[in-house]
């Protein structure tokens, strides 16, 4: 069981990091600036118009690499840093703590593979959960600013898309809902899974399952000579 623990735990850690990077991390829903526009947006969504958007960490990096961060495409020439200035501290803090969360998972896997110290793994997993809660708080503060309209969507979309229709759409809609998505909660859940897996492994190692066989005493076979002498 000790060998299995030192093999499976690092695999769980690597899987968690992969899910945090490639699964959807943020979820956004578009809504109207007025009740009338909100009704139109809701109706449009029923006819297949996409009003929800999800992004993974991998997709966000690809978008940033392909974006016009200089602001040349933006309607007022604003650059990327100026547009995201209201939530820039939150973005930096989230990136720092989320990266720490992922690195802690890799460190956890290395400790489990190299030493198999289960108490250390549980402590590190608890620390990872704390980092996840900090990320949730930071993201909630940033999402409140985004929903509050502090980020100009028209300028932001203009950096990622040349579509005139998209820019016109962002002029009449806003972000009505924003949450963390599956990628983040997969990492959160994997920390809990590692804790449960470690506790179960510890129980099995300390109290191994043993099969007890009941030995019945066989009756002695009487010799034929003893029977004839009676």
């Amino acid at each position: 069981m000790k060998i299995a623990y030192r093999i499976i735990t690092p695999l769980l850690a690597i899987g968690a990091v992969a899910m945090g990077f490639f699964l959807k991390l943020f979820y956004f829903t578009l809504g109207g600036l007025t009740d009338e526009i909100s009704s139109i947006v809701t109706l449009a969504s029923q006819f297949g118009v996409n009003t929800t958007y999800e992004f993974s960490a991998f997709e966000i990096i690809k978008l940033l690499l392909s974006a016009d961060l200089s602001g040349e495409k933006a309607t007022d020439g604003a650059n990327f840093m100026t547009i995201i200035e209201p939530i820039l501290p939150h973005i930096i803090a989230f990136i720092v703590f989320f990266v720490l969360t992922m690195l802690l998972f890799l460190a956890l896997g290395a400790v489990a593979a190299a030493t198999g110290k289960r108490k250390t793994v549980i402590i590190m997993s608890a620390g990872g959960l704390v980092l996840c809660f900090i990320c949730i708080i930071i993201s909630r503060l940033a999402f409140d600013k985004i929903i509050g309209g502090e980020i100009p969507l028209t300028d932001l979309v203009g950096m990622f898309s040349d579509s005139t229709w998209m820019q016109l759409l962002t002029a009449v809609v806003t972000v009505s809902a924003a949450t963390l998505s599956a990628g983040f909660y997969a990492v959160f859940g994997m920390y809990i899974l590692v804790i449960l897996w470690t506790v179960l492994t510890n129980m099995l190692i300390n109290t191994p399952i043993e099969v007890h066989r009941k030995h019945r005493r066989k009756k002695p076979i009487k010799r034929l000579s003893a029977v004839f002498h009676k």
Side-chain angles (χ1 to χ4, degrees):
M1 195 65 194
K2 290 182 180 180
I3 296 175
Y5 180 79
R6 296 174 71 166
I7 294 174
I8 294 175
T9 307
L11 293 178
L12 292 176
I14 295 172
V17 173
M19 287 189 291
F21 188 70
F22 290 106
L23 291 183
K24 304 300 183 182
L25 195 60
F26 301 107
Y27 178 87
F28 300 98
T29 303
L30 296 182
L33 294 172
T34 63
D35 292 340
E36 292 79 7
I37 296 175
S38 295
S39 300
I40 294 172
V41 172
T42 303
L43 182 63
S45 65
Q46 295 176 355
F47 285 94
V49 178
N50 190 19
T51 58
T52 60
Y53 297 87
E54 288 184 287
F55 302 95
S56 65
F58 177 70
E59 290 170 338
I60 291 172
I61 292 173
K62 285 178 63 178
L63 282 173
L64 291 175
L65 291 176
S66 62
D68 174 32
L69 302 183
S70 64
E72 293 179 0
K73 295 182 187 175
T75 55
D76 60 355
N79 60 39
F80 183 70
M81 291 301 176
T82 303
I83 294 173
I84 66 169
E85 186 177 2
I87 60 171
L88 184 58
H90 304 84
I91 292 174
I92 294 173
F94 183 87
I95 291 173
V96 169
F97 282 102
F98 189 68
V99 169
L100 287 175
T101 303
M102 306 283 267
L103 291 176
L104 185 60
F105 236 134
L106 293 177
L108 177 155
V111 169
T115 66
K117 292 182 178 180
R118 296 180 295 280
K119 289 184 179 179
T120 304
V121 169
I122 290 178
I123 293 171
M124 295 176 74
S125 298
L129 289 176
V130 172
L131 291 175
C132 287
F133 278 116
I134 294 174
C135 288
I136 292 173
I137 294 171
I138 295 170
S139 65
R140 187 67 267 166
L141 295 173
F143 291 152
D144 287 343
K145 289 181 177 291
I146 294 173
I147 295 172
E150 297 188 32
I151 304 296
L153 289 182
T154 304
D155 291 341
L156 188 61
V157 170
M159 292 185 174
F160 298 96
S161 174
D162 293 322
S163 172
T164 304
W165 287 108
M166 277 300 298
Q167 294 183 29
L168 288 174
L169 179 64
T170 55
V172 295
V173 299
T174 184
V175 177
S176 60
T179 59
L180 291 170
S181 195
F184 178 83
Y185 289 108
V187 175
F188 185 88
M190 287 297 283
Y191 270 118
I192 297 176
L193 179 62
V194 168
I195 291 175
L196 295 176
W197 160 245
T198 304
V199 171
L200 176 62
T201 303
N202 198 51
M203 291 172 58
L204 293 176
I205 291 174
N206 292 334
T207 57
I209 300 173
E210 296 180 358
V211 178
H212 297 282
R213 295 181 180 179
K214 294 182 178 180
H215 296 281
R216 294 183 179 179
R217 187 177 179 182
K218 295 181 179 180
K219 294 182 179 181
I221 300 175
K222 295 183 179 180
R223 296 180 180 177
L224 292 175
S225 57
V227 175
F228 288 117
H229 281 297
K230 286 184 178 180

